[in-house]
Amino acid sequence: MFSQQTDIPMTYSRLFHPVLLVQEIIHTGTAQLEGEEKKRVSIINTLSLASIVLCLIFGTAIYYLTGNIRILLPAYAEALLFVVVLLFNHFRLHNTAAILTALLHNTSIVYFSILMGMVAEVHLLFFFLVGAALTVFQGKPLLISVSIAISVICLVLCELNYYYNVIPPLDLSLSDQFLIRWVSIPAILVLDVITIYIYVRGLRRKNVLLQRKAAALEKADKDSRRQAMETSHEMRNPFNAVYGITQDLLMKVQQSDKYPELKSSVEHLYSASHNVLQILNNNLEHHRLEEGVTPQLETSTFNLREWAAETTNIYQYIANVRDVQIALEIEQGMPALIEGDKIKLTQVLNNLLFNAIKFTHAGSTVTVQINQALPNWQLHVKDSGAGIPEERLSTIFSPYVSEQHAFGGTGLGLPIVQRFAELMGGTVSVASKEGEGSVFTLTLPLVAAEEKVAEASVSKQLTIRSFKGVKALVIDDNEMSNMILSRFLERMECEVVSALSGEEGVKLADSMHPDIIFLDSHMPDMDGKDTLAVLQSMPVVRNAIVIAVSGDAAETSIGDLLKAGANGFMTKPIDLKALNDLMIKYESRIANKNAK
């Protein structure tokens, strides 16, 4: 009767096999269903089958003990109605079957409670009714609520009838009451156990599914991050060439009057390249944070005015694209030299300027102000844009929160600003009014290295120092990256020799005795770490400065090189100003080495 199969001999064979028959009944009407709905219908069938069995056993046993037909007939009638529930599911009337199941349970409880009074211990069925509602109407919150409410009402009515005797129960002898009590209690407990078992099994199944989904999401997240890092690495090598050539062109058009018509185009090209560099650097820093790499502070003493002037002048090229001017205002009382992490301060100011230029109005001015706020100092970057809506101010420092803008952006700049500010023992805040622009304020502890104030020489040229006589060895298997870095060093008047492999680099180092070596971390056959180990074993280059160079977004290879003895690192694409600063950092050490 219940089978959905077309194989008739198989169907009849199941009628004579108890286990197969039970399985057939439990799964009736589920052939065309999937997922949670299939499980829900199977649960209704299970509860119906259990109710049929209990009604037949309970009704027959009580009738046998008491001879009372008023218990036997309703029990058999209830069993027959649960057969109807199974038929409804068989004919795919699943919602009707679920509602009829709930109604039958509640009606039978009220009837037998009235009939047998307090002997039946009907209140024990409350857990069953709640569990049945949760499973029978799974995924239907309204029907669950209505079913539980009806069950509560029915139980209250039963209790009221006990106390006020509105409908008198059967007049049973003490022995009959005892027998009914100990027949009904096991039946009730069986229903409770079945319901609890079904509900707990469902929770476990869902927990397993959630764990699988969580594992799948975690794997997808790792795969996504790995792909993003690999993509970043793949982008850095070719972009290193683009950015290097762009910087080289900019210096040429600045120093020559031969190509005046190209100057504006080259400045625009440099601006666009610098934008891409900023995005790549922000992605790099974001990947580091996601991987749990804690940035390290590198405190040094530097000239505050020169630093601020150099950074704002570089961004003036980017501002020119939008016809925006950058004004730098430094309070007279600010010390000339302060202590701090110059690299991270530069990244902070880069992001704040990039953000301000992006959102300010064309033809307006972005103002950078530096002042004392003892015991701190403050850096303010003010734009003249449309401002930030008040409801967005609370999320402005969250990752990937960014307004759509033709000038680009990933929404990673401000979170990195906040992270670096906190790392340096300070804070960053924003004040904004719609229609009047925004002001971002970085507040940091003021550690003055000197009281006197020195004036900075401000130049809008992309300038570099001369390191005449310094012998530099570039080891990089990427020909374009090798050429760009070598050309930059030649512009600094270094004596440059380049190698396209670790083996070639070792041979050249043995013959030229370099002062500084730029070593790519990723090379075939003999990688950066292996090359460094060989170089350190050579007496003639043991005291040479080694700078690790990589486009690896994860920077694991650079970390390995630093642990192995490299003195510093640079990431691709190579920034001419950063290279210039790095050479200045090691200038005195190179001079001392050559003096010995």
Side-chain angles (χ1 to χ4, degrees):
M1 175 179 65
F2 302 110
S3 177
Q4 300 285 323
Q5 309 292 330
T6 57
D7 189 345
I8 296 175
M10 176 63 74
T11 301
Y12 279 107
S13 68
R14 294 188 181 199
L15 294 175
F16 301 100
H17 194 295
V19 176
L20 294 178
L21 178 61
V22 169
Q23 290 178 349
E24 189 81 5
I25 294 172
I26 288 174
H27 295 295
T28 188
T30 62
Q32 305 300 321
L33 301 178
E34 294 181 355
E36 293 301 318
E37 183 64 14
K38 184 173 184 177
K39 294 183 180 68
R40 187 175 76 92
V41 172
S42 296
I43 288 170
I44 294 171
N45 291 336
T46 301
L47 291 176
S48 298
L49 181 60
S51 298
I52 290 169
V53 173
L54 288 174
C55 285
L56 294 176
I57 294 174
F58 174 78
T60 303
I62 297 298
Y63 178 75
Y64 177 78
L65 295 172
T66 65
N68 196 318
I69 198 71
R70 293 172 63 184
I71 295 176
L72 178 65
L73 292 180
Y76 281 16
E78 184 181 356
L80 182 61
L81 288 172
F82 275 112
V83 172
V84 174
V85 171
L86 295 172
L87 287 172
F88 279 147
N89 275 335
H90 174 74
F91 291 109
R92 299 173 191 163
L93 301 171
H94 305 306
N95 288 332
T96 305
I99 293 171
L100 180 58
T101 299
L103 290 175
L104 283 175
H105 285 145
N106 285 282
T107 303
S108 63
I109 285 172
V110 172
Y111 176 81
F112 287 111
S113 171
I114 293 172
L115 197 65
M116 292 179 288
M118 300 185 69
V119 175
E121 300 287 354
V122 177
H123 59 275
L124 294 176
L125 282 169
F126 181 71
F127 295 107
F128 164 71
L129 293 174
V130 172
L134 292 172
T135 53
V136 167
F137 297 113
Q138 186 178 10
K140 304 176 187 301
L142 179 60
L143 289 176
I144 290 174
S145 301
V146 172
S147 180
I148 292 175
I150 291 172
S151 299
V152 171
I153 293 171
C154 289
L155 289 173
V156 170
L157 291 175
C158 291
E159 289 294 325
L160 290 174
N161 189 67
Y162 293 155
Y163 288 107
Y164 296 105
N165 205 23
V166 178
I167 302 175
L170 293 175
D171 187 15
L172 301 170
S173 65
L174 187 60
S175 60
D176 287 344
Q177 291 182 28
F178 179 81
L179 292 171
I180 291 173
R181 179 181 178 84
W182 288 105
V183 170
S184 61
I185 287 178
I188 292 172
L189 291 178
V190 167
L191 286 173
D192 286 341
V193 169
I194 291 173
T195 307
I196 293 172
Y197 170 76
I198 291 173
Y199 188 68
V200 170
R201 187 181 65 175
L203 289 178
R204 287 177 179 172
R205 185 179 66 250
K206 288 182 179 179
N207 188 47
V208 170
L209 291 174
L210 286 174
Q211 288 177 344
R212 289 176 182 171
K213 287 182 179 179
L217 287 173
E218 185 177 357
K219 183 179 182 300
D221 181 57
K222 287 182 179 178
D223 291 344
S224 176
R225 280 189 286 174
R226 188 183 303 112
Q227 184 180 14
M229 287 189 289
E230 289 174 356
T231 302
S232 179
H233 173 61
E234 293 300 321
M235 289 176 62
R236 282 177 177 274
N237 272 323
F239 184 69
N240 186 41
V242 174
Y243 189 56
I245 293 171
T246 301
Q247 293 174 89
D248 197 37
L249 284 172
L250 182 62
M251 291 187 67
K252 283 184 177 179
V253 298
Q254 286 178 342
Q255 296 168 1
S256 174
D257 296 328
K258 290 183 178 180
Y259 311 104
E261 71 281 0
L262 291 178
K263 186 175 181 180
S264 176
S265 297
V266 172
E267 286 184 352
H268 278 67
L269 178 62
Y270 176 75
S271 171
S273 300
H274 201 82
N275 289 350
V276 177
L277 175 64
Q278 188 67 18
I279 292 170
L280 285 173
N281 286 340
N282 284 339
N283 273 297
L284 167 63
E285 196 60 47
H286 183 68
H287 288 314
R288 285 173 175 167
L289 296 178
E290 282 194 329
E291 293 296 320
V293 178
T294 303
Q296 299 298 314
L297 287 176
E298 297 182 11
T299 303
S300 62
T301 300
F302 62 94
N303 188 299
L304 177 67
R305 286 168 171 76
E306 288 182 358
W307 164 76
E310 288 173 0
T311 306
T312 53
N313 287 338
I314 287 175
Y315 268 84
Q316 185 59 62
Y317 291 110
I318 301 172
N320 288 340
V321 175
R322 302 206 67 223
D323 191 24
V324 171
Q325 294 298 312
I326 300 177
L328 176 61
E329 301 173 3
I330 302 178
E331 188 181 72
Q332 191 65 29
M334 281 296 296
L337 301 178
I338 67 170
E339 291 184 4
D341 191 322
K342 185 179 178 182
I343 295 174
K344 288 181 176 56
L345 276 171
T346 302
Q347 286 181 272
V348 167
L349 183 52
N350 284 349
N351 277 303
L352 292 178
L353 279 172
F354 183 79
N355 206 59
I357 294 167
K358 180 167 61 173
F359 289 107
T360 201
H361 294 303
S364 63
T365 299
V366 169
T367 305
V368 178
Q369 296 175 323
I370 298 176
N371 63 273
Q372 294 187 77
L374 295 176
N376 302 311
W377 68 283
Q378 292 182 325
L379 169 70
H380 310 274
V381 178
K382 181 180 180 181
D383 65 57
S384 304
I388 304 169
E390 186 175 352
E391 63 273 11
R392 289 199 65 249
L393 289 175
S394 60
T395 61
I396 197 70
F397 293 103
S398 300
Y400 303 111
V401 174
S402 176
E403 296 289 338
Q404 295 297 319
H405 198 279
F407 212 54
T410 59
L412 296 177
L414 291 179
I416 291 170
V417 167
Q418 186 180 54
R419 177 64 181 265
F420 282 176
E422 293 171 352
L423 185 68
M424 293 185 286
T427 60
V428 63
S429 60
V430 58
S432 183
K433 186 177 290 186
E434 291 191 65
E436 297 184 14
S438 306
V439 181
F440 286 85
T441 300
L442 174 71
T443 303
L444 292 172
L446 177 60
V447 182
E450 195 175 315
E451 290 297 329
K452 67 179 182 178
V453 178
E455 292 297 327
S457 56
V458 178
S459 171
K460 293 189 177 180
Q461 299 292 327
L462 194 61
T463 57
I464 54 176
R465 286 269 295 275
S466 171
F467 298 92
K468 194 170 184 177
V470 173
K471 291 184 285 186
L473 172 61
V474 178
I475 306 175
D476 192 332
D477 66 304
N478 185 285
E479 292 187 26
M480 187 63 74
S481 297
N482 194 315
M483 181 270 290
I484 293 296
L485 181 52
S486 297
R487 184 175 293 181
F488 282 172
L489 291 167
E490 287 169 355
R491 282 192 172 278
M492 297 176 181
E493 300 185 62
C494 295
E495 297 176 15
V496 185
V497 176
S498 63
L500 293 171
S501 68
E503 294 89 342
E504 184 184 1
V506 169
K507 292 177 183 178
L508 290 173
D510 189 42
S511 61
M512 73 172 291
H513 303 178
D515 299 310
I516 187 166
I517 301 171
F518 293 87
L519 179 59
D520 185 40
S521 58
H522 291 285
M523 292 186 293
D525 300 327
M526 191 173 177
D527 66 9
K529 190 175 180 180
D530 294 335
T531 304
L532 178 61
V534 176
L535 291 171
Q536 289 177 326
S537 68
M538 300 167 60
V540 292
V541 293
R542 189 174 296 163
N543 295 322
I545 295 163
V546 178
I547 305 300
V549 181
S550 177
D552 185 358
E555 295 303 328
T556 52
S557 53
I558 281 184
D560 291 340
L561 281 171
L562 291 174
K563 290 177 183 177
N567 301 100
F569 71 91
M570 294 192 72
T571 55
K572 298 176 184 179
I574 301 297
D575 182 75
L576 181 56
K577 181 181 178 302
L579 177 62
N580 185 65
D581 291 344
L582 184 140
M583 294 294 291
I584 292 172
K585 178 180 178 180
Y586 292 105
E587 185 177 19
S588 60
R589 180 171 163 180
I590 293 172
N592 292 335
K593 170 181 173 291
N594 292 332
K596 292 180 180 179

